[in-house]
Amino acid sequence: MKNILILAALSAVILTGCGNISPPFKAEQTTVTTAAPTVSAAASSEAESTVDEEQVKYDTFIAEFFDSNICFSDTSALVTEAMKGCSFETQTDSSNGVQNISLKGKNGGGMIDVLCIDLSQSDLDHDMEYILENFGDYYFGQTSAQMSGITEDDFVSIYRMTSSVVSKCKYQRYGSVQKSDGMATQFGYTETYAVLSENKLTVVSGAFLSSDMMERQSFSQLMSKFAENVKY
């Protein structure tokens, strides 16, 4: 119930300029038969309680983030440079500080969100790495959910990294999808790349799904071009 209230409050806030905003290898498996482990009710309850506490902590941070004094910065130059030579049909919509790029190929489609948030006036009481990791995970979850019909079990490769130095941090998380229903195969890719430097958080987050593996490769290369143009 706490999570529902927090997320409801989060979705209700909108920003114009500054202030409160709303966010717009699987290993080869070997079958082994073993006796089912016995888990006590107390141990199970304790594990669930720990998970609940972590989720409340995460949801609270996200709510605090969007309720703090933050502003959007312009990302048009970044988008223009990264999109040069793009092979997909594109349509860009800019609203609430986020540039949303819709992509269409011959056999699939996807989207990329690009945003830059100025945290210089924010009153968040967290270190840079904590902010980047939690916001990065949040946005990755929002983006990967754009691939209709795809679940975590469909990912064939998963990667997550956070690195930090004295004045900046970098976050990257991505996953590849290959899913077949016996008639056709879907190839997908989703990635969130973010840099927090000089109190500015730049995020590029996208997802793409296609029946053509080469289109997935083209999308992955496009995400790499965006990463190359984010200052770090």
Short mmCIF file of all heavy atoms in Angstrom, two decimals, residues 127-138 140 159-165 168-174 192-196 201 232:
data_model
loop_
_atom_site.label_atom_id
_atom_site.label_comp_id
_atom_site.label_asym_id
_atom_site.label_seq_id
_atom_site.Cartn_x
_atom_site.Cartn_y
_atom_site.Cartn_z
N ASP A 127 24.66 10.76 -1.75
CA ASP A 127 25.88 10.95 -2.52
C ASP A 127 25.60 10.66 -4.00
O ASP A 127 24.56 10.12 -4.38
CB ASP A 127 27.02 10.08 -2.00
CG ASP A 127 26.72 8.60 -2.02
OD1 ASP A 127 26.12 8.12 -3.01
OD2 ASP A 127 27.08 7.89 -1.06
N MET A 128 26.54 11.02 -4.86
CA MET A 128 26.35 10.93 -6.30
C MET A 128 26.08 9.50 -6.76
O MET A 128 25.21 9.26 -7.60
CB MET A 128 27.58 11.48 -7.01
CG MET A 128 27.79 12.97 -6.86
SD MET A 128 29.33 13.52 -7.63
CE MET A 128 29.04 13.09 -9.34
N GLU A 129 26.85 8.57 -6.23
CA GLU A 129 26.70 7.19 -6.68
C GLU A 129 25.33 6.63 -6.33
O GLU A 129 24.71 5.91 -7.13
CB GLU A 129 27.80 6.32 -6.07
CG GLU A 129 27.85 4.91 -6.63
CD GLU A 129 29.09 4.15 -6.20
OE1 GLU A 129 30.01 4.78 -5.62
OE2 GLU A 129 29.14 2.93 -6.45
N TYR A 130 24.84 6.96 -5.15
CA TYR A 130 23.52 6.50 -4.72
C TYR A 130 22.43 7.05 -5.64
O TYR A 130 21.52 6.32 -6.07
CB TYR A 130 23.26 6.93 -3.28
CG TYR A 130 21.96 6.41 -2.70
CD1 TYR A 130 21.91 5.19 -2.02
CD2 TYR A 130 20.77 7.12 -2.83
CE1 TYR A 130 20.73 4.71 -1.48
CE2 TYR A 130 19.58 6.65 -2.31
CZ TYR A 130 19.57 5.45 -1.63
OH TYR A 130 18.38 4.97 -1.12
N ILE A 131 22.52 8.35 -5.95
CA ILE A 131 21.54 8.97 -6.84
C ILE A 131 21.57 8.32 -8.21
O ILE A 131 20.52 7.96 -8.78
CB ILE A 131 21.82 10.48 -6.97
CG1 ILE A 131 21.55 11.19 -5.63
CG2 ILE A 131 20.97 11.11 -8.08
CD1 ILE A 131 21.96 12.65 -5.62
N LEU A 132 22.77 8.14 -8.76
CA LEU A 132 22.90 7.60 -10.11
C LEU A 132 22.40 6.16 -10.20
O LEU A 132 21.68 5.79 -11.13
CB LEU A 132 24.35 7.67 -10.56
CG LEU A 132 24.60 7.39 -12.04
CD1 LEU A 132 23.92 8.43 -12.91
CD2 LEU A 132 26.09 7.35 -12.34
N GLU A 133 22.78 5.33 -9.24
CA GLU A 133 22.37 3.93 -9.27
C GLU A 133 20.86 3.78 -9.18
O GLU A 133 20.25 3.02 -9.95
CB GLU A 133 23.03 3.16 -8.12
CG GLU A 133 24.48 2.80 -8.37
CD GLU A 133 24.99 1.80 -7.35
OE1 GLU A 133 24.39 1.70 -6.26
OE2 GLU A 133 25.96 1.11 -7.65
N ASN A 134 20.24 4.50 -8.25
CA ASN A 134 18.81 4.35 -8.05
C ASN A 134 18.00 4.95 -9.19
O ASN A 134 17.02 4.34 -9.64
CB ASN A 134 18.41 4.98 -6.71
CG ASN A 134 18.73 4.10 -5.53
OD1 ASN A 134 17.96 3.23 -5.14
ND2 ASN A 134 19.91 4.31 -4.95
N PHE A 135 18.42 6.12 -9.68
CA PHE A 135 17.68 6.70 -10.79
C PHE A 135 17.90 5.89 -12.06
O PHE A 135 16.98 5.72 -12.87
CB PHE A 135 18.10 8.15 -11.02
CG PHE A 135 17.21 8.88 -11.98
CD1 PHE A 135 15.99 9.38 -11.57
CD2 PHE A 135 17.57 9.05 -13.31
CE1 PHE A 135 15.14 10.03 -12.45
CE2 PHE A 135 16.74 9.70 -14.20
CZ PHE A 135 15.52 10.20 -13.77
N GLY A 136 19.12 5.38 -12.24
CA GLY A 136 19.41 4.55 -13.41
C GLY A 136 18.56 3.29 -13.42
O GLY A 136 17.97 2.92 -14.44
N ASP A 137 18.48 2.62 -12.27
CA ASP A 137 17.66 1.41 -12.18
C ASP A 137 16.18 1.73 -12.43
O ASP A 137 15.47 0.95 -13.08
CB ASP A 137 17.81 0.76 -10.80
CG ASP A 137 19.14 0.02 -10.66
OD1 ASP A 137 19.79 -0.25 -11.68
OD2 ASP A 137 19.52 -0.28 -9.51
N TYR A 138 15.74 2.87 -11.89
CA TYR A 138 14.35 3.28 -12.10
C TYR A 138 14.06 3.47 -13.59
O TYR A 138 13.06 2.94 -14.11
CB TYR A 138 14.08 4.58 -11.33
CG TYR A 138 12.86 5.33 -11.82
CD1 TYR A 138 11.58 4.92 -11.44
CD2 TYR A 138 12.99 6.43 -12.67
CE1 TYR A 138 10.46 5.60 -11.90
CE2 TYR A 138 11.87 7.11 -13.13
CZ TYR A 138 10.61 6.69 -12.74
OH TYR A 138 9.51 7.36 -13.20
N PHE A 140 15.73 2.38 -16.20
CA PHE A 140 15.87 1.13 -16.96
C PHE A 140 14.59 0.31 -16.86
O PHE A 140 14.13 -0.26 -17.86
CB PHE A 140 17.05 0.31 -16.43
CG PHE A 140 17.26 -0.99 -17.17
CD1 PHE A 140 17.98 -1.02 -18.37
CD2 PHE A 140 16.75 -2.18 -16.68
CE1 PHE A 140 18.15 -2.20 -19.07
CE2 PHE A 140 16.92 -3.38 -17.37
CZ PHE A 140 17.64 -3.39 -18.56
N TYR A 159 23.74 -6.87 -18.38
CA TYR A 159 24.95 -6.19 -17.91
C TYR A 159 24.54 -4.96 -17.11
O TYR A 159 23.60 -4.25 -17.47
CB TYR A 159 25.81 -5.76 -19.11
CG TYR A 159 27.03 -4.94 -18.75
CD1 TYR A 159 28.21 -5.56 -18.36
CD2 TYR A 159 27.00 -3.55 -18.83
CE1 TYR A 159 29.33 -4.80 -18.04
CE2 TYR A 159 28.11 -2.79 -18.51
CZ TYR A 159 29.28 -3.43 -18.13
OH TYR A 159 30.40 -2.69 -17.82
N ARG A 160 25.26 -4.72 -16.00
CA ARG A 160 25.01 -3.54 -15.18
C ARG A 160 26.32 -3.05 -14.61
O ARG A 160 27.11 -3.84 -14.07
CB ARG A 160 24.03 -3.85 -14.06
CG ARG A 160 23.66 -2.64 -13.18
CD ARG A 160 22.75 -3.08 -12.03
NE ARG A 160 22.27 -1.98 -11.22
CZ ARG A 160 23.00 -1.38 -10.26
NH1 ARG A 160 24.23 -1.79 -10.00
NH2 ARG A 160 22.48 -0.39 -9.55
N MET A 161 26.59 -1.75 -14.71
CA MET A 161 27.85 -1.20 -14.24
C MET A 161 27.64 0.21 -13.71
O MET A 161 26.88 1.00 -14.27
CB MET A 161 28.86 -1.16 -15.40
CG MET A 161 30.20 -0.52 -15.09
SD MET A 161 30.23 1.30 -15.24
CE MET A 161 29.81 1.54 -16.94
N THR A 162 28.29 0.53 -12.61
CA THR A 162 28.37 1.89 -12.11
C THR A 162 29.82 2.17 -11.75
O THR A 162 30.44 1.41 -11.00
CB THR A 162 27.50 2.11 -10.86
OG1 THR A 162 26.14 1.79 -11.17
CG2 THR A 162 27.59 3.55 -10.38
N SER A 163 30.38 3.23 -12.29
CA SER A 163 31.75 3.62 -11.95
C SER A 163 31.72 5.07 -11.46
O SER A 163 30.86 5.85 -11.85
CB SER A 163 32.68 3.50 -13.15
OG SER A 163 32.26 4.37 -14.19
N SER A 164 32.65 5.42 -10.60
CA SER A 164 32.66 6.77 -10.06
C SER A 164 34.08 7.25 -9.81
O SER A 164 34.98 6.46 -9.52
CB SER A 164 31.85 6.83 -8.76
OG SER A 164 32.44 6.00 -7.78
N VAL A 165 34.26 8.55 -9.96
CA VAL A 165 35.49 9.22 -9.56
C VAL A 165 35.08 10.36 -8.64
O VAL A 165 33.91 10.47 -8.27
CB VAL A 165 36.27 9.73 -10.79
CG1 VAL A 165 36.78 8.56 -11.63
CG2 VAL A 165 35.42 10.64 -11.64
N LYS A 168 32.45 12.80 -10.67
CA LYS A 168 31.42 12.32 -11.59
C LYS A 168 31.22 10.81 -11.47
O LYS A 168 32.08 10.09 -10.96
CB LYS A 168 31.77 12.69 -13.02
CG LYS A 168 33.18 12.29 -13.45
CD LYS A 168 33.57 12.98 -14.74
CE LYS A 168 35.03 12.77 -15.07
NZ LYS A 168 35.44 13.51 -16.29
N CYS A 169 30.07 10.37 -11.98
CA CYS A 169 29.73 8.94 -11.96
C CYS A 169 29.13 8.55 -13.31
O CYS A 169 28.51 9.37 -13.99
CB CYS A 169 28.70 8.63 -10.87
SG CYS A 169 29.30 8.82 -9.18
N LYS A 170 29.30 7.28 -13.66
CA LYS A 170 28.73 6.77 -14.91
C LYS A 170 27.97 5.48 -14.63
O LYS A 170 28.44 4.63 -13.87
CB LYS A 170 29.83 6.53 -15.94
CG LYS A 170 29.33 5.98 -17.27
CD LYS A 170 30.41 6.04 -18.35
CE LYS A 170 31.62 5.22 -18.01
NZ LYS A 170 32.62 5.23 -19.10
N TYR A 171 26.81 5.35 -15.26
CA TYR A 171 25.94 4.18 -15.07
C TYR A 171 25.59 3.61 -16.44
O TYR A 171 25.30 4.35 -17.38
CB TYR A 171 24.67 4.59 -14.33
CG TYR A 171 23.58 3.54 -14.25
CD1 TYR A 171 23.41 2.77 -13.10
CD2 TYR A 171 22.69 3.34 -15.31
CE1 TYR A 171 22.39 1.82 -13.02
CE2 TYR A 171 21.67 2.41 -15.22
CZ TYR A 171 21.53 1.65 -14.08
OH TYR A 171 20.51 0.72 -14.00
N GLN A 172 25.62 2.29 -16.54
CA GLN A 172 25.18 1.64 -17.77
C GLN A 172 24.55 0.30 -17.43
O GLN A 172 25.08 -0.48 -16.65
CB GLN A 172 26.36 1.42 -18.73
CG GLN A 172 25.94 0.85 -20.09
CD GLN A 172 27.13 0.64 -21.01
OE1 GLN A 172 28.26 0.44 -20.55
NE2 GLN A 172 26.90 0.70 -22.31
N ARG A 173 23.39 0.07 -18.03
CA ARG A 173 22.72 -1.21 -17.84
C ARG A 173 21.99 -1.57 -19.14
O ARG A 173 21.31 -0.72 -19.71
CB ARG A 173 21.71 -1.12 -16.69
CG ARG A 173 20.99 -2.44 -16.38
CD ARG A 173 20.11 -2.29 -15.15
NE ARG A 173 19.37 -3.51 -14.86
CZ ARG A 173 18.51 -3.65 -13.85
NH1 ARG A 173 18.32 -2.63 -13.01
NH2 ARG A 173 17.86 -4.78 -13.65
N TYR A 174 22.19 -2.79 -19.60
CA TYR A 174 21.51 -3.19 -20.83
C TYR A 174 21.19 -4.67 -20.82
O TYR A 174 21.72 -5.45 -20.02
CB TYR A 174 22.35 -2.84 -22.07
CG TYR A 174 23.70 -3.51 -22.17
CD1 TYR A 174 23.83 -4.86 -22.52
CD2 TYR A 174 24.87 -2.79 -21.95
CE1 TYR A 174 25.08 -5.46 -22.64
CE2 TYR A 174 26.12 -3.37 -22.05
CZ TYR A 174 26.21 -4.71 -22.41
OH TYR A 174 27.46 -5.30 -22.52
N THR A 192 20.04 1.66 -20.67
CA THR A 192 20.02 2.97 -20.01
C THR A 192 21.46 3.37 -19.75
O THR A 192 22.22 2.63 -19.14
CB THR A 192 19.24 2.93 -18.69
OG1 THR A 192 17.88 2.58 -18.96
CG2 THR A 192 19.27 4.28 -17.99
N TYR A 193 21.83 4.54 -20.25
CA TYR A 193 23.17 5.08 -20.05
C TYR A 193 23.01 6.44 -19.38
O TYR A 193 22.21 7.27 -19.82
CB TYR A 193 23.89 5.23 -21.39
CG TYR A 193 25.29 5.77 -21.28
CD1 TYR A 193 26.37 4.91 -21.01
CD2 TYR A 193 25.56 7.12 -21.43
CE1 TYR A 193 27.66 5.40 -20.91
CE2 TYR A 193 26.85 7.62 -21.32
CZ TYR A 193 27.90 6.75 -21.07
OH TYR A 193 29.18 7.24 -20.96
N ALA A 194 23.73 6.66 -18.29
CA ALA A 194 23.58 7.92 -17.56
C ALA A 194 24.92 8.39 -17.00
O ALA A 194 25.75 7.58 -16.58
CB ALA A 194 22.58 7.74 -16.42
N VAL A 195 25.08 9.70 -16.99
CA VAL A 195 26.29 10.32 -16.44
C VAL A 195 25.87 11.45 -15.50
O VAL A 195 25.02 12.28 -15.87
CB VAL A 195 27.20 10.87 -17.55
CG1 VAL A 195 28.31 11.73 -16.95
CG2 VAL A 195 27.80 9.73 -18.37
N LEU A 196 26.44 11.46 -14.32
CA LEU A 196 26.21 12.54 -13.36
C LEU A 196 27.52 13.29 -13.19
O LEU A 196 28.48 12.76 -12.62
CB LEU A 196 25.72 11.98 -12.02
CG LEU A 196 25.47 12.97 -10.88
CD1 LEU A 196 24.55 14.10 -11.33
CD2 LEU A 196 24.89 12.26 -9.68
N LEU A 201 22.64 15.55 -14.45
CA LEU A 201 22.39 14.14 -14.70
C LEU A 201 21.84 13.99 -16.12
O LEU A 201 20.72 14.40 -16.42
CB LEU A 201 21.39 13.59 -13.70
CG LEU A 201 20.88 12.16 -13.92
CD1 LEU A 201 22.02 11.16 -13.91
CD2 LEU A 201 19.85 11.80 -12.85
N TYR A 232 31.69 12.93 -20.27
CA TYR A 232 32.08 12.26 -19.02
C TYR A 232 33.53 12.57 -18.73
O TYR A 232 34.37 12.50 -19.62
CB TYR A 232 31.86 10.75 -19.13
CG TYR A 232 32.30 10.01 -17.88
CD1 TYR A 232 31.54 10.10 -16.72
CD2 TYR A 232 33.47 9.27 -17.86
CE1 TYR A 232 31.94 9.44 -15.57
CE2 TYR A 232 33.87 8.61 -16.71
CZ TYR A 232 33.11 8.69 -15.57
OH TYR A 232 33.50 8.05 -14.42
#
